[in-house]
Amino acid sequence: MTRKQQVADAFAAASETYDTAAQAQVRSGGRLAELVVDRLRKPNPRVLEVGCGTGLLTRALMPAVGGDWLITDLSPAMVETARREVGQGRFAVMDGEHPDGSAGPFDLIVSNLAGQWFLDLEGAVSRLAACLAPGGLLALSTLAHGSLREWRAAHAELGLADGVMDFPTFDALRFMMPARADLQSQVFAVTHVDGRDFLSSIRAIGARLPAPGYRPLTPGAMRGLIRKLGSPVEISYHVVHVLLVRE
Ligand SMILES: C[S@@+](CC[C@H](N)C(=O)[O-])C[C@H]1O[C@@H](n2cnc3c(N)ncnc32)[C@H](O)[C@@H]1O
């Protein structure tokens, strides 16, 4: 099974529990929606959403900008949940890294916290930007270095591998994006009762696929890790919002 199919399956399995635990996604999506409302110049835009999940960003942004929405995700189960929760717009299963160009052009392309799952974020941004109409806006948020740092530090102190993907630094993202792109950092923390509660939330949103090659901890190592993290536990997120206007 390819890594991409594993990603789709992991999120599919979480389509009915996602909204109960997606606190970080709500925070990031709220900020992304504010940035879009501030920068979008076109009334009644043609909108493409990539990696819609259950439609959290869709529900936050659609009433503010209106327009004609094509709402997509890699996971068919997520598309069906979004269709039910959003109730309007057009829906399709699509790999956002390889957008179907015939569906465009779009005045707005949005994506909240799907980019960290892409195999080639730089290539994806360039292909998505090519689907914009002149003057169109691409607004995409992704996780950056510093995210989940408490989880990683607790593993490191115990000499354990953490399985967290290597999120790019802000500078690495700056380097990979076109020079005219505006990048903005958003740093916040989500509080969990303890490490187990954090793990449950990760499973509930479907983000449970570890970095390739990771071997799960033994039950004893997991107990040591939960003790090390203590209670309550704060988990940090560093989200980078990329805003790119097509000339
Ligand atoms: C963390 S969720 C974010 C969902 C939603 N945007 C939100 O704000 O709640 C990530 C979503 O990206 C989707 N995804 C991952 N890789 C994708 C890809 N290559 N193309 C489209 N969607 C993808 C997953 O299926 C999942 O629904």
Side-chain angles (χ1 to χ4, degrees), residues 122-197:
E122 184 174 3
V125 165
S126 142
R127 288 186 287 273
L128 287 167
C131 299
L132 288 170
L137 172 68
L138 170 65
L140 169 151
S141 63
T142 192
L143 288 183
H145 185 74
S147 296
L148 317 189
R149 64 183 166 78
E150 299 82 358
W151 182 251
R152 303 197 80 166
H155 279 78
E157 284 170 35
L158 295 171
L160 301 169
D162 59 44
V164 175
M165 291 184 295
D166 269 330
F167 301 122
T169 62
F170 182 91
D171 287 348
L173 285 166
R174 176 66 279 169
F175 188 71
M176 100 179 46
M177 296 300 157
R180 66 182 188 287
D182 179 16
L183 271 64
Q184 298 204 6
S185 272
Q186 179 190 16
V187 177
F188 58 87
V190 175
T191 305
H192 295 273
V193 174
D194 58 17
R196 282 195 200 284
D197 181 48

Side-chain angles (χ1 to χ4, degrees), residues 14-23 26 54 56 200-201 203-205:
S15 62
E16 295 301 325
T17 49
Y18 183 90
D19 284 8
T20 64
Q23 295 176 61
V26 168
T54 61
L56 282 181
S200 306
S201 75
R203 291 199 189 101
I205 65 162

Side-chain angles (χ1 to χ4, degrees), residues 4 7-12 18-19 22 24-26 28-29 32 49-59 72-76 78-79 93-98 110-119 141 205-207:
K4 198 155 270 194
V7 170
D9 288 353
F11 281 104
Y18 183 90
D19 284 8
Q25 289 70 19
V26 168
S28 166
L32 187 64
E49 181 174 2
V50 168
C52 62
T54 61
L56 282 181
L57 174 67
T58 334
R59 284 173 266 159
T72 70
D73 197 283
L74 186 63
S75 154
M78 281 298 197
V79 170
V93 175
M94 191 184 83
D95 178 358
E97 289 198 65
H98 298 281
V110 285
S111 182
N112 183 46
L113 293 188
Q116 69 275 2
W117 295 102
F118 291 176
L119 303 179
S141 63
I205 65 162

